[in-house]
Amino acid sequence: MANKKVSDLVVDTFAAAGVKRIYGLPGDSLNGITDSLRRQRQIQWIHVRHEETAAFAAGAEAHLTQELAVCAGSCGPGNLHLINGLYDCHRSRVPVLAIAAQIPSNEIGSGYFQETRPEHLFAQCSHYCELVSQPEQMPRVLEIAMQTALSRRGVAVVAIPGDVALRDAVEQEPRLHFPPPAPTVCPSDEEIAGLAGVLNQAKKITILGGAGCAGAHAELIELAAKLKAPIVHAMRGKEFIEHGNPFDVGMTGLLGFSSGYHAMMNCDLLLMIGTDFPYQQFYPKDATVVQIDIRGEQLGRRTKVDYGFVGDTKATLRALLPRLGHKEDDKHLKAALEHYRKARQGLDELATDGSGKKPIHPQYVVRVLDELAAEDAIFSCDVGTPTIWAARYLTMNGKRRLLGSFNHGSMANALPQAIGAQVSHPGRQVVTLSGDGGLAMLMGDLLSLRQLQAPVKIIVFKNDSLAFVELEMKAAGILEFGTDLQNPYFAKMAEGAGLLGLTAETPDQVRPMIAQALRHDGPALVEVIVSRQELSMPPTPSIEQMKGFSLFTLKAVLSGRGDEVVDLAKINLFR
Ligand SMILES: Cc1cc2nc3c(=O)[nH]c(=O)nc-3n(C[C@H](O)[C@H](O)[C@H](O)COP(=O)(O)OP(=O)(O)OC[C@H]3O[C@@H](n4cnc5c(N)ncnc54)[C@H](O)[C@@H]3O)c2cc1C
Ligand SMILES: Cc1ncc(C[n+]2csc(CCOP(=O)(O)OP(=O)(O)O)c2C)c(N)n1
Ligand SMILES: [Mg+2]
């Protein structure tokens, strides 16, 4: 039998590690690898129309499965297109490996056609980024890359010149055959005792939980019950914390609830668990802060911390719980829960059909979607106002999942993430909350839905604007500029691309059309004509004073009432 090529060894190494598919777009320099995929048939090639889609899709798969996902781009522009999606994967700490094909090895350094330097380009959005310049490096370099992506959670990039991929492999087989290690990381006994002491003594405790609480729902609830502590969740923690949680008081931050904000501001001790909630102005100034995170480098990153612990949430809470007493005083908890009930009610009142009048409230669209979507639906929301609606009106239940570009904050994430979610979870209902700006940005990949037979449902919030940016401009006290969108008929475009396309212009069309799309046996798009200025910001004196500040530096929660932001710097709703 002829020797394997390096490209064959690459595919075998992926297959041995359980990789099931590679997202990408071919090109000359990638031909060796795509040809090995074609011949070996162990791994599916997921053909997309833009490499950025490939990276976002791989990131979605990795987020949902917690396993390694792979994307690939050809040399120069091909892999350069991966970069924004890879930034998102890296900042979300999901294990993604990118194959960046490189120009012929003997041309490197000559300014050759399509020459770039992937080792430099991807250095900032990866834990590991290396060039394979000779067959002897394989499979070791690829295995180091995979191990790095998995163990450090993030991106690893392997650059391979097309000619090296086509050379005879020296080693013939992958070398690593062990299951992914799953160590238990827990603070020492002394540290746990110290932590218990601090918590047992504190009076008004609030928990801020994030994505690092995944898999520790029961422990978190038991902790809150013992401490009589309200739980505020950060956005990426929503899918893991909010459901079945009698202590939940919502999110904090600009998109959050005033109840989440005040629960944090009014505590004596803030207990941060598995969160990297980024906005400093929403942290209390005088409270004692305790932080638990699996990564030591995260401790104290966002606010001052008095006690920091390195540990996995579940393991740490399991060790901690037996040492905690039951607190009696539940005044702080009760007040926070009552505040949450009111805040929730206020937001729910906005999610109405507006007595049938146009334009449609986007909140209503998401409330209807929330009601009609499957028990285990996977949602993805675009950056922009769809992130607000998802945060406030999608109900999580432990089976549903929520994808977004929450840490990197890139537009156009929802469709590509939905592609990754759907191809990796063929039986599941996958629904996007897409902005009209966001959808247009990577719209080419609407075409992939039919080609991949991916029955994704797309809900487009057609507000003919970059509405979130209009909010930002208002907050900064500047006139709106460059935010108009002259949109196509998205439904007609969808029809042209082989999708079911529907347009909801009036509130009474929303429910039947979303229901029809969800039932449809194939991809579908519903464009909903929604109001443009659902969250307006009039120049009230308090906002005036903040002129020149970005929306994200405001100490404000969007009230959602269309007439004001809750200026938290001035009003204390809690007392
Ligand atoms: C337009 C827009 C507006 C936004 N507005 C808001 C807002 O108002 N409010 C809001 O909350 N967010 C908002 N976000 C999202 C925000 O930017 C952050 O992405 C989010 O707050 C981070 O959530 P997190 O802390 O749960 O997740 P991450 O940032 O991913 O942090 C998770 C932490 O958990 C740790 N960890 C992981 N695994 C474990 C483990 N097993 N045990 C212990 N620790 C672990 C990690 O090391 C990390 O430090 C917005 C995003 C966008 C795009
Ligand atoms: C790639 C990228 N470009 C620009 C931005 C800045 N930005 C944030 S939200 C947004 C508007 C999104 O518009 P749309 O998708 O229509 O959603 P809307 O807010 O109108 O609902 C823009 C331009 C960004 N976050 N990412
Ligand atoms: Mg828009």
Side-chain angles (χ1 to χ4, degrees), residues 435-437 461-467 485:
D436 44 5
F461 292 81
K462 192 176 187 181
N463 50 23
D464 290 337
S465 69
L466 303 170
L485 296 176

Side-chain angles (χ1 to χ4, degrees), residues 155-456:
V155 171
V157 181
V158 174
I160 314 180
D163 58 304
V164 176
L166 287 170
R167 277 195 225 151
D168 285 343
V170 177
E171 302 248 2
Q172 294 296 299
E173 298 298 330
R175 307 166 319 145
L176 307 184
H177 298 284
F178 53 87
T184 303
V185 183
C186 189
S188 66
D189 281 350
E190 297 76 47
E191 286 176 303
I192 291 286
L195 171 58
V198 172
L199 296 177
N200 280 331
Q201 269 168 28
K203 295 230 157 41
K204 294 193 288 179
I205 302 178
T206 293
I207 296 170
L208 173 65
C213 294
H217 190 267
E219 289 78 5
L220 194 63
I221 302 291
E222 195 180 333
L223 177 74
K226 281 195 158 176
L227 298 178
K228 299 281 186 295
I231 303 178
V232 178
H233 62 262
M235 181 94 214
R236 293 192 78 226
K238 177 178 165 79
E239 54 175 344
F240 308 115
I241 295 176
E242 190 185 49
H243 63 280
N245 181 349
F247 303 94
D248 185 50
V249 294
M251 223 168 82
T252 184
L254 182 73
L255 315 191
F257 295 62
S258 51
S259 53
Y261 173 84
H262 285 292
M264 270 174 61
M265 288 302 177
N266 290 330
C267 68
D268 296 333
L269 186 146
L270 178 70
L271 175 54
M272 296 171 64
I273 311 179
T275 178
D276 190 25
F277 174 72
Y279 313 111
Q280 290 187 53
Q281 72 274 26
F282 289 90
Y283 284 93
K285 291 276 171 289
D286 302 322
T288 301
V289 181
V290 179
Q291 186 176 4
I292 302 168
D293 201 287
I294 199 151
R295 295 179 175 80
E297 70 269 24
Q298 295 299 106
L299 301 178
R301 193 168 275 246
R302 305 294 170 205
T303 188
K304 63 106 191 176
V305 164
D306 301 285
Y307 303 94
F309 300 90
V310 173
D312 163 60
T313 301
K314 193 179 185 111
T316 307
L317 297 191
R318 280 199 169 170
L320 176 68
L321 280 164
R323 300 188 185 234
L324 293 180
H326 278 276
K327 288 200 187 299
E328 298 294 324
D329 186 350
D330 63 357
K331 275 210 278 308
H332 173 61
L333 172 64
K334 279 201 164 139
L337 287 173
E338 177 54 17
H339 191 169
Y340 176 53
R341 197 187 58 73
K342 285 195 189 131
R344 180 72 263 175
Q345 193 182 358
L347 287 178
D348 288 342
E349 281 164 8
L350 300 170
T352 67
D353 69 354
S355 310
K357 288 200 209 83
K358 292 202 249 184
I360 302 166
H361 293 304
Q363 298 92 324
Y364 176 64
V365 180
V366 183
R367 205 193 80 195
V368 170
L369 173 65
D370 191 45
E371 277 171 39
L372 297 179
E375 271 272 298
D376 63 348
I378 302 170
F379 301 97
S380 59
C381 60
D382 263 339
V383 165
T385 67
T387 298
I388 311 180
W389 314 137
R392 294 179 166 185
Y393 295 100
L394 286 181
T395 315
M396 295 291 113
N397 57 12
K399 293 186 209 132
R400 286 180 169 182
R401 302 298 307 266
L402 177 61
L403 297 157
S405 177
F406 299 130
N407 287 354
H408 186 47
S410 171
M411 277 172 77
N413 58 292
L415 171 64
Q417 288 177 329
I419 290 175
Q422 189 74 82
V423 299
S424 61
H425 295 74
R428 295 271 285 268
Q429 186 181 74
V430 179
V431 190
T432 76
L433 279 63
S434 297
D436 44 5
L439 180 67
M441 201 175 257
L442 283 176
M443 198 154 55
D445 272 295
L446 264 188
L447 309 182
S448 303
L449 297 181
R450 179 139 168 258
Q451 181 159 349
L452 297 171
Q453 300 188 337
V456 169

Side-chain angles (χ1 to χ4, degrees), residues 2-297:
N3 253 0
K4 273 182 188 171
K5 304 284 180 209
V6 168
S7 57
D8 297 329
L9 186 60
V10 168
V11 175
D12 285 351
T13 306
F14 281 143
V19 171
K20 299 191 182 58
R21 56 192 72 78
I22 300 180
Y23 303 85
L25 213 144
D28 184 20
S29 48
L30 203 56
N31 281 350
I33 290 178
T34 44
D35 192 51
S36 295
L37 287 171
R38 179 187 64 78
R39 282 184 284 105
Q40 288 170 249
R41 294 173 179 275
Q42 303 172 70
I43 292 179
Q44 212 187 343
W45 175 251
I46 306 293
H47 175 50
V48 294
R49 306 300 173 104
H50 191 303
E51 292 85 352
E52 184 173 338
T53 300
F56 268 118
E61 174 178 334
H63 178 75
L64 296 170
T65 61
Q66 289 299 304
E67 288 166 12
L68 186 75
V70 180
C71 58
S74 59
C75 68
N79 67 56
L80 198 53
H81 263 184
L82 293 170
I83 202 159
N84 189 49
L86 289 182
Y87 258 96
D88 184 79
C89 298
H90 196 55
R91 304 200 58 190
S92 297
R93 302 184 189 87
V94 292
V96 168
L97 188 137
I99 295 286
Q102 175 58 306
I103 59 161
S105 52
N106 63 343
E107 294 288 356
I108 292 176
S110 73
Y112 187 65
F113 174 63
Q114 296 189 321
E115 181 167 357
T116 61
R117 198 56 68 88
E119 310 92 286
H120 294 187
L121 283 169
F122 297 104
Q124 238 187 56
C125 62
S126 65
H127 291 305
Y128 183 86
C129 182
E130 292 295 340
L131 174 74
V132 176
S133 46
Q134 46 185 322
E136 286 81 353
Q137 287 172 279
M138 282 298 200
R140 193 157 59 116
V141 163
L142 184 60
E143 288 172 336
I144 296 171
M146 295 195 305
Q147 281 305 115
T148 307
L150 281 166
S151 62
R152 294 189 62 194
R153 310 313 277 182
V155 171
V157 181
V158 174
I160 314 180
D163 58 304
V164 176
L166 287 170
R167 277 195 225 151
D168 285 343
V170 177
E171 302 248 2
Q172 294 296 299
E173 298 298 330
R175 307 166 319 145
L176 307 184
H177 298 284
F178 53 87
T184 303
V185 183
C186 189
S188 66
D189 281 350
E190 297 76 47
E191 286 176 303
I192 291 286
L195 171 58
V198 172
L199 296 177
N200 280 331
Q201 269 168 28
K203 295 230 157 41
K204 294 193 288 179
I205 302 178
T206 293
I207 296 170
L208 173 65
C213 294
H217 190 267
E219 289 78 5
L220 194 63
I221 302 291
E222 195 180 333
L223 177 74
K226 281 195 158 176
L227 298 178
K228 299 281 186 295
I231 303 178
V232 178
H233 62 262
M235 181 94 214
R236 293 192 78 226
K238 177 178 165 79
E239 54 175 344
F240 308 115
I241 295 176
E242 190 185 49
H243 63 280
N245 181 349
F247 303 94
D248 185 50
V249 294
M251 223 168 82
T252 184
L254 182 73
L255 315 191
F257 295 62
S258 51
S259 53
Y261 173 84
H262 285 292
M264 270 174 61
M265 288 302 177
N266 290 330
C267 68
D268 296 333
L269 186 146
L270 178 70
L271 175 54
M272 296 171 64
I273 311 179
T275 178
D276 190 25
F277 174 72
Y279 313 111
Q280 290 187 53
Q281 72 274 26
F282 289 90
Y283 284 93
K285 291 276 171 289
D286 302 322
T288 301
V289 181
V290 179
Q291 186 176 4
I292 302 168
D293 201 287
I294 199 151
R295 295 179 175 80
E297 70 269 24

